[in-house]
Amino acid sequence: MSYDPPPYPPYPPPDSSPSYDTYPWVPQREPEPAGRPHRRHASLGHHSDLRVLRSAYRWQRRVATLTALGYFVLFLLLSALAPSFMTATVTDGLPTGLILALVQVPVTWLAIALYERTARRRVDPIADRIRKQTALDTKREGAL
């Protein structure tokens, strides 16, 4: 009795070379449909509008953060480096440090207002434009 090796499998073995697909008994892959048009826009992950949106959002965060933290750091520095200024009385025994501490609340409100204003003026229009473009791209691809 002779031993005949089994025929090659009808599918490419793992870690095979690309030349395996040239054998005649390998099933051929179906070609792409010819009527399908190419996409006009780059994929959304590499879209330039997303870079613009990220930079606008980054700028928005920095403005709001620096407004609130900047005033707080200024208050801490004055407390540490200028204690005579902070303990000086302004009116009726009210020290400057207490007044500056109470002003922290309106400064925080100002930071929130700046955050919302920059969101409405800079970030939201870019996000709306990307959202509309994505909806149009989805409709185009669904119609194909």
Side-chain angles (χ1 to χ4, degrees), residues 11-30:
Y11 53 89
D15 301 319
S16 67
S17 68
S19 64
Y20 184 83
D21 292 338
T22 60
Y23 294 120
W25 57 84
V26 174
Q28 298 296 320
R29 294 182 184 157
E30 295 181 21

Side-chain angles (χ1 to χ4, degrees), residues 42-98:
S43 64
L44 193 58
H46 300 290
H47 207 277
S48 64
D49 282 344
L50 287 179
R51 285 192 297 270
V52 172
L53 179 64
R54 281 192 301 264
S55 66
Y57 183 62
R58 192 178 309 122
W59 186 85
Q60 175 194 21
R61 287 188 321 234
R62 286 179 185 159
V63 167
T65 303
L66 291 177
T67 302
L69 286 180
Y71 182 81
F72 185 69
V73 168
L74 176 68
F75 177 74
L76 289 178
L77 287 175
L78 286 173
S79 297
L81 301 176
S84 60
F85 173 73
M86 296 297 275
T87 57
T89 57
V90 178
T91 57
D92 296 329
L94 195 61
T96 308
L98 182 59

